[in-house]
Amino acid sequence: MVRQEKKPRSRGRKIFLAGCAGLLVVLLAGGGVALFAYHHLQGNIDTVDINQALGEDRPAPLPTGAQDILVLGSDSRSGVNGDLAGGNVGGTARSDTAMVVHIPKGRSRATVVSIPRDTLVTRPACTTTKGKQLAAAQRVMFNSIYTVGGPPCVVKTVETMTGLRMNHYVEIDFAGFKELVDAMGGVEVTVDTPIDDKYSGLKLDAGTHTLDGTQSLAFVRTRHGVGDGSDLGRIGLQQKFILAVLTQLQRQNAFDNPAKLYGIADASTKALTTDSSLGSLSSLATFAQSMRGLKSSSMDTLMLPVAYDRIDPNRVVPAEPQDQQLWQALRDDHAVPAAARKSPAHGGS
């Protein structure tokens, strides 16, 4: 396992947001930055060598040419992130958010599948970030896998669950996420019911709001102020935010403002960790060019179907057969059928 480490602040202090990763690659595809800016942005990026850690025992790439990306973040709020959206949790790091982003051939649409952090899964034998061999284990809470094994073990688990090869891996830093949203000038979201979450610090009336970086971070972490107070409600807010980011990007047309474009790209790359094959501006730009046809209206967001665990009702497990119907549809590059969207633990789709 080889990891290029340039910034100690980034280790174990990542928060995911799929829209941010998509934002970065779209911006960089616009080109036009000066050479000094290119080198500066390139120096911001951290990488992790997922392929070396996982070896050859992985699902084969899809013959259709579809791409699957695991976008992940942790809930650590130590160090520079200590005062953000909930405070310090002792320096530990768990995968606070996980999404599988499936992009079919043609790159004009995408399916985003959120995996609830409290899902009990079988963790396969894997090699940790530090090169240690970790034995397989059953009934492991999904968000703990990052803590004990790092990105390689999370990717290995997701590939085992889904039968999909993760072509790329992306993390976004907690503090960097805040700076990114502020560089965009905030993000506009609409909520149907009031939100009052004392844990994340978010309080919003029903209606449309432009959230700054601090509020946006609280928004994607809020769960006590929405729905039944579980992680399932938070997933809905995260997916709403993804679509809001993409919609705003399209509306703002940042390419017409070079200074703003550079500010967003700078904040993005400071926050970003990718797999080594995606960890350069040229690789990101190439990938972005293939994504230019993707719009928020063509993104299908859903949650892995889950059911409450029979032993511990505070945990969920993948619902059968809906979960396998979902992953099979993505492996076949088909639209996800209605039957695969039914989640017993969430009262439907």
Side-chain angles (χ1 to χ4, degrees), residues 25-55:
V25 294
V26 169
L27 287 171
L28 293 177
V33 295
L35 183 61
F36 82 91
Y38 180 94
H39 287 301
H40 174 76
L41 296 177
Q42 177 65 57
N44 286 341
I45 304 172
D46 281 338
T47 63
V48 55
D49 195 340
I50 296 293
N51 290 332
Q52 180 174 322
L54 296 185

Side-chain angles (χ1 to χ4, degrees), residues 19 83 108 117 164 172 204 208 272 285:
D83 296 327
S108 61
R117 55 179 286 170
L164 294 165
I172 301 291
L204 294 176
T208 300
L272 188 69

Side-chain angles (χ1 to χ4, degrees), residues 70-73 93-100 113-124 139-151 153-159 161-162 231 304 315-316 318 327:
L70 178 61
V71 190
L72 190 72
R94 297 163 297 179
S95 53
D96 182 62
T97 312
M99 292 187 183
V100 173
V113 183
S114 296
I115 302 175
R117 55 179 286 170
D118 295 338
T119 307
L120 297 176
V121 300
T122 296
R123 187 193 67 216
R139 291 182 59 80
V140 171
M141 203 159 78
F142 184 84
N143 74 334
S144 71
I145 299 172
Y146 186 97
T147 307
V148 299
C153 288
V154 182
V155 173
K156 183 73 171 181
T157 301
V158 171
E159 290 189 343
M161 290 172 58
T162 65
D231 188 51
L304 171 68
R315 302 288 177 258
V316 295
W327 302 128

Side-chain angles (χ1 to χ4, degrees), residues 165-184:
R165 185 187 184 99
M166 295 298 108
N167 301 94
H168 296 298
Y169 172 82
V170 175
E171 292 185 15
I172 301 291
D173 179 80
F174 219 142
F177 168 76
K178 174 182 177 296
E179 295 176 4
L180 172 60
V181 173
D182 286 337
M184 291 178 61

Side-chain angles (χ1 to χ4, degrees), residues 256-268:
D256 291 340
N257 187 334
K260 185 170 186 177
L261 173 63
Y262 180 78
I264 296 174
D266 187 38
S268 300

Side-chain angles (χ1 to χ4, degrees), residues 228-274:
D228 61 2
S230 73
D231 188 51
L232 307 185
R234 173 164 54 189
I235 285 173
L237 292 183
Q238 291 170 345
Q239 293 177 339
K240 180 188 289 286
F241 195 85
I242 292 170
L243 298 180
V245 168
L246 293 179
T247 298
Q248 183 162 319
L249 178 63
Q250 294 160 5
R251 184 170 64 244
Q252 285 184 338
N253 194 11
F255 300 117
D256 291 340
N257 187 334
K260 185 170 186 177
L261 173 63
Y262 180 78
I264 296 174
D266 187 38
S268 300
T269 49
K270 285 179 181 177
L272 188 69
T273 293
T274 73

